[in-house]
Amino acid sequence: MLLQYIMLKQLKIDELHAITDSIVSNALLAICCFFISNNMKYYVPRREKYWYILVVSLTASFLWMLAQQGMMWMIFPESDNYSEVIHESWAIRFGAGYLLISSISMFSLLWYSQQEQKEMDTRKTESERLSKDAELFKLRQQLQPHFLFNSLNSISALTGSHPEKARHMIQQLSDFLRGTLRKDEQQWNSLEEELKYLELYLEIEKVRFGHRLQTEINYQEEILSMKLPALLLQPVVENAIKFGLYDTTGEILIKLDATNDGNNLKIIVQNPFDPETSQPLKGTGFGLSSIQRRLFLLYARHDLLTTRIDDEKFVTTILIPQMDEVKPKI
Amino acid sequence: MKVIIIDDEPLARGIVKEYLQSIPDAELVAECEDGFEGIKAIQQHRPDLIFLDIQMPKINGFEMLELLEGPPAVIFTTAFDEFAIKAFESNAVDYLLKPFSKERFEKAIQKYLQHQNSQQTQQLIDAAAQSPSQQNRVVVKDGSKIKIIPVTKIDYLEAADDYVKIVTVDGTFLKKRTMSFFEQSLSAYHFVRVHRSYIVNTQLITRIDPYEKENHLLLLTTGAKLPVSKTGYAKLKEVLGI
């Protein structure tokens, strides 16, 4: 405004005219800019935004010129010297006004689209987190209906012949089911807790399959406090049992070894299978894909679950990295 | 009435046995814990009725039935198998969902006594053979032994009257099925029916030569030569993308 006043003074305009002119034109310009940037707050053009800015700025500058000239004419109806100067300076005024308006609108455009982008990013991260939580929860509590109904059938058979055993099995099945329904609490369990839970499951399966199912679990006392994601072990063993029991006849031995491997908890599960009739090496197959998915969601690593064939044994190896302080949220 | 129970879980056999005690003139002649024992017992005792579980070691209940000449009447017992249940319903065969009550068990026996359902059994076997768990293998009898052939080990199939000859690296086996059955079920595993009498594993093809007027001859990596008909050649071209 001061600049404009000085310039007008130099063009030999008297004090009063110069001051009024600068105040009026700059005030109008400010109103213009305010409207434009306010407009951008609610409407950010998406396509052809540069054309939009060009057109809006041109129109606004034009209106601004008209408004200020009109106002000045109303304030000073007769002032020949002044109107001549105005007449000569319109191009400069228009240029300056246009520059200012367009840079203001450009700036607000960038500002508001960035704000919008930020908001979208937050929403996206939030929804991704929610869907990851939901998927993990689902993966954790996948219950095999086959297992449930067959266990109930075994209980039904026991109620006639051995009511005490039936009651015991109902107890075990209830404890097992309660374990799968545990929601957010305890996302990480110690090996000790997980083995206890696994034991429940194995007891039930042994009632179902009788002498055919033998199990062997090996570990050392000092690794019992190592941590692993809740309900990870049981589906792996369930898979080994299903695979072992339905792929061979006769007795089967399911072996589980837990060791401390560097800073990882290493769990190896073995089950017999028939290499003649099975082709277990297609991917990891055999129901292990959900375990792999879970490990990936937790650690962003694909190499934690591996399988191999060792003679007539199918061997599944899982590595659980141990983190001292901060654990990823399940 | 001679009855056999075939189920891999001892307690599941136990409950059928218990319920059977109150059925007059039902005589339990054998209990089997897998399909192999089942076949032996059925051939030995010629039962009137069998109680058959579906998910069992090595071969499932349906595959066991496939291997029998003139299967007996069947009441299926299963815990949970969506595919099987659909197959039962579409073939009006009675089945018991575990755990089942004594009343429901007696109803199934009544139904069997009223109309014995052996011809429906064949339709059911055909329907069940399309299940995803059975599509990737074929169960055949090799003399007195039972062989499970993963479909990837099949070289080609040849029509042989009422049978289909299955040619593999380990030998040739016969199976009582139609060519169109295999044509359909094996289409997902790179098999093409190249001739009225031949279905071939396209992954083994090394060469296709013109032969006589409009026919072709194809050569497999195993050295076998198979005729290709005009329509067979069109199908083959489509599958191989040539």
Side-chain angles (χ1 to χ4, degrees), chain A residues 12-61:
Chain A
K12 296 184 180 61
I13 303 287
D14 63 280
E15 193 106 343
L16 182 69
H17 275 94
I19 291 177
T20 329
D21 180 281
S22 348
I23 290 176
V24 166
S25 64
N26 282 294
L28 282 171
L29 194 60
I31 292 170
C32 237
C33 290
F34 174 75
F35 270 118
I36 286 181
S37 85
N38 221 24
N39 181 37
M40 290 273 186
K41 197 173 185 174
Y42 300 105
Y43 171 70
V44 178
R46 254 156 248 289
R47 275 177 298 164
E48 304 187 355
K49 43 188 168 189
Y50 300 106
W51 283 108
Y52 175 82
I53 285 183
L54 188 74
V55 170
V56 164
S57 309
L58 274 175
T59 321
S61 318

Side-chain angles (χ1 to χ4, degrees), chain A residues 145-146 149-150 152-154 156-158 160-161 169 207-212 242 245-250 274-279 282, chain B residues 8-12 14-15 18-19 33-34 36 55-59 78-81 98-100 136 147-148 150-153 170 189:
Chain A
H146 206 263
F149 290 119
N150 273 314
L152 289 172
N153 193 47
S154 296
S156 168
L158 284 172
S161 51
M169 193 168 169
V207 173
R208 280 182 58 198
F209 293 105
H211 67 96
R212 275 198 74 203
K242 217 160 81 184
L245 279 175
Y246 293 117
D247 200 45
T248 58
T249 53
D274 185 347
E276 273 283 299
T277 53
S278 310
Q279 298 130 323
K282 269 186 205 157
Chain B
D8 62 325
E9 296 187 27
L11 287 169
I15 196 157
E18 188 192 318
Y19 287 166
E33 59 177 41
D34 57 54
F36 303 111
Q55 199 176 7
M56 288 192 298
K58 297 297 270 183
I59 58 171
T78 186
F80 183 84
D81 184 336
K98 295 173 184 172
F100 43 86
N136 60 0
K147 205 167 160 51
I148 301 164
V151 295
T152 49
K153 288 193 177 167
D170 306 329
Y189 297 91

